[in-house]
Amino acid sequence: MVAQVTVAARIGLIACLLSVLAAPAWADTVRVKDLGRFLGWRENALVGYGIVTGLAGSGDSPASAVTRDAVKNVLSRMGANISPDEVHSRNVAVVMVTAVLPPSAHMGDRIDATVSSVGDARSLVGGTLLMTPLMGPDQQTYALAQGTLVVGGYRFDAQQNRQQKNYPTSGVLAGGATIETPASSSLVNRDGELTFVLQDADATTAERIKDGINTSFGRRVARVTDAATVTIDARNVGSDTYAFVSQIENVSVTPDARAVIVVNERAGTVVAGGGVQISSVVVSQGDIKVSVSQDNDAGQPYTSEYGYGRGLYVASKKIETTQGQDAVVRLPNTTVADLVQALTQAHVDTRGIISILQSIKAAGALHADIVVQ
């Protein structure tokens, strides 16, 4: 009895969610800023190669030639002349350091860095990263990283026993990298134009963005290049480029949304986007029968100068779901939300609902994309 209540409650929650999500998505407006980015405004990856010291015997083993050479090179720069064969410490580890350079960065700004082991170190807990240059794809140094690692885990070995939590061979330097070379993004190209790139290519949304920008400025400054690109004329902006960009970013538009149903078969959940419609179809699965039909009701005929014309017809759709002999539900329209509610009343579990939706899609009666996670 408890299991039945739990399943029914879960299906009822899904039906309620679908009823809310079935409202047309196009009713909401969003800022242009939330629909994409300007070409040229991007982050850049940084990477470096360094050494972590201060480990309590959990670093790279003496068999690691890379670690011995790295320690030898560091000590040589400090004035100590030793050979790699003289390095036998397990308190050091060779690591790779990665960070992300923001689109606009000034000298002295601090950014986060991630440190991960390259050799056979067991743990980086308690370690300190020595000064490590972080380079971009052009091999130029943009930041220097140094500091104490924060590792969200541990590993302890004693007498062939091991205790480990998470992955202690990687850690984070919160604000541990300092920008040494300033970086800035150029938004305006040589022709004096801005290019806005949509996150999801859609011709209708691109046209609405163009219309919204032109309306905001009171003149034709934007044009659609393709389904993912809107080009904006910035030749008359002068030095107020970022004020111009800010005005564009805050233009409100109504993006076009395609109908999507997201199915998570492992968790047994179904989430539908707005405006998901089902055409006339009949699906039978075991003792479950789903019927979607359409009736045309005659309306008042219109009058023309040549006499009476053809009457109007009003389409009335309904869903019938039957399981066994007595479970019959009739609904006035044909959306995914209504179908799920009908199946819920027929005591169909979530996996059965997923299977029925996939069958209706295969029959060409479900006008939405099904994304299976």
Side-chain angles (χ1 to χ4, degrees), residues 16 214 238:
C16 292
N214 290 337

Side-chain angles (χ1 to χ4, degrees), residues 161-179:
N161 295 320
R162 176 189 301 174
Q163 291 289 334
Q164 180 173 329
K165 177 182 178 182
N166 298 333
Y167 298 94
T169 52
S170 63
V172 176
L173 281 173
T178 305
I179 301 297

Side-chain angles (χ1 to χ4, degrees), residues 11 14-23 259-263 269-279 290 292 319 321 331 333-344 353-354 356-358 360-361 365-370:
I11 297 176
I14 294 172
C16 292
L17 288 173
L18 286 171
S19 298
V20 175
L21 291 172
V260 177
I261 298 176
V262 181
V263 175
T269 57
V270 181
V271 178
V276 180
Q277 299 292 323
I278 301 175
S279 298
V290 179
V292 179
I319 298 178
T321 304
L331 297 173
N333 49 36
T334 54
T335 65
V336 171
D338 295 326
L339 174 62
V340 172
Q341 289 176 356
L343 293 173
T344 301
I353 294 175
I354 294 173
I356 290 174
L357 288 174
Q358 291 174 332
I360 295 175
K361 172 66 176 178
L366 179 58
H367 307 295
D369 294 331
I370 297 181

Side-chain angles (χ1 to χ4, degrees), residues 10 42 50 52 61 70 93 122 124 134 143 163 168 171 219 227 244 263-264 268 311 313 327 330 340 345 350 356:
R10 183 172 58 181
R42 50 160 292 178
V52 171
S61 66
R122 296 190 296 264
L124 300 180
L134 301 181
Q163 291 289 334
R219 54 190 177 92
F244 184 70
V263 175
N264 191 323
Y313 290 94
R330 291 180 175 86
V340 172
Q345 293 180 16
T350 310
I356 290 174

Side-chain angles (χ1 to χ4, degrees), residues 18-360:
L18 286 171
S19 298
V20 175
L21 291 172
W26 45 260
D28 298 328
T29 60
V30 299
R31 299 177 303 172
V32 170
K33 182 178 184 178
D34 300 323
L35 296 175
R37 64 178 179 86
F38 286 98
L39 190 66
W41 188 261
R42 50 160 292 178
E43 297 176 335
N44 293 277
L46 302 179
V47 65
Y49 169 80
I51 293 179
V52 171
T53 62
L55 305 176
S58 61
D60 295 338
S61 66
S64 175
V66 175
T67 304
R68 296 200 308 268
D69 288 339
V71 173
K72 181 258 181 187
N73 293 335
V74 170
L75 295 179
S76 297
R77 290 198 298 267
M78 300 296 176
N81 189 12
I82 62 172
S83 66
D85 296 334
E86 297 176 306
V87 179
H88 299 286
S89 174
R90 289 215 62 165
N91 295 339
V92 296
V94 174
V95 295
M96 296 299 295
V97 185
T98 59
V100 175
L101 182 68
S104 179
H106 301 86
M107 187 177 298
D109 289 349
R110 304 187 71 85
I111 58 176
D112 296 340
T114 301
V115 179
S116 56
S117 174
V118 174
D120 57 357
R122 296 190 296 264
S123 174
L124 300 180
V125 174
T128 300
L129 176 70
L130 300 184
M131 185 173 62
T132 303
L134 301 181
M135 298 180 295
D138 56 358
Q139 299 300 310
Q140 181 178 352
T141 299
Y142 287 91
L144 294 176
Q146 180 171 285
T148 303
L149 298 182
V150 177
V151 180
Y154 58 79
R155 171 173 168 173
F156 299 103
D157 297 88
Q159 298 179 354
Q160 304 301 319
N161 295 320
R162 176 189 301 174
Q163 291 289 334
Q164 180 173 329
K165 177 182 178 182
N166 298 333
Y167 298 94
T169 52
S170 63
V172 176
L173 281 173
T178 305
I179 301 297
E180 298 296 328
T181 302
S184 60
S185 299
S186 178
L187 301 181
V188 181
N189 62 20
R190 296 179 180 178
D191 297 327
E193 295 177 332
L194 288 167
T195 302
F196 185 81
V197 182
L198 278 71
Q199 184 176 357
D200 298 314
D202 186 89
T204 303
T205 303
E207 284 289 336
R208 292 175 181 175
I209 291 175
K210 178 206 70 174
D211 294 339
I213 294 174
N214 290 337
T215 302
S216 176
F217 286 94
R219 54 190 177 92
R220 190 178 183 276
V221 297
R223 70 179 190 277
V224 175
T225 306
D226 54 49
T229 307
V230 177
T231 303
I232 304 143
D233 186 0
R235 288 175 295 181
N236 298 324
V237 174
S239 60
D240 295 333
T241 302
Y242 287 96
F244 184 70
V245 170
S246 176
Q247 184 174 349
I248 294 173
E249 288 181 336
N250 287 281
V251 172
S252 295
V253 298
T254 303
D256 190 63
R258 62 189 180 96
V260 177
I261 298 176
V262 181
V263 175
N264 191 323
E265 195 165 0
R266 296 186 300 273
T269 57
V270 181
V271 178
V276 180
Q277 299 292 323
I278 301 175
S279 298
S280 299
V281 70
V282 176
V283 177
S284 295
Q285 185 183 45
D287 58 350
I288 302 171
K289 182 178 180 181
V290 179
S291 176
V292 179
S293 60
Q294 175 176 320
D295 296 328
N296 293 325
D297 298 329
Q300 181 67 34
Y302 65 89
T303 304
S304 66
E305 57 179 333
Y306 302 104
Y308 284 98
R310 184 178 180 182
L312 299 176
Y313 290 94
V314 180
S316 176
K317 294 184 180 181
K318 62 182 180 179
I319 298 178
E320 293 184 358
T321 304
T322 305
Q323 183 179 33
Q325 297 180 351
D326 300 324
V328 178
V329 180
R330 291 180 175 86
L331 297 173
N333 49 36
T334 54
T335 65
V336 171
D338 295 326
L339 174 62
V340 172
Q341 289 176 356
L343 293 173
T344 301
Q345 293 180 16
H347 306 291
V348 182
D349 62 12
T350 310
R351 299 194 183 280
I353 294 175
I354 294 173
S355 178
I356 290 174
L357 288 174
Q358 291 174 332
S359 299
I360 295 175

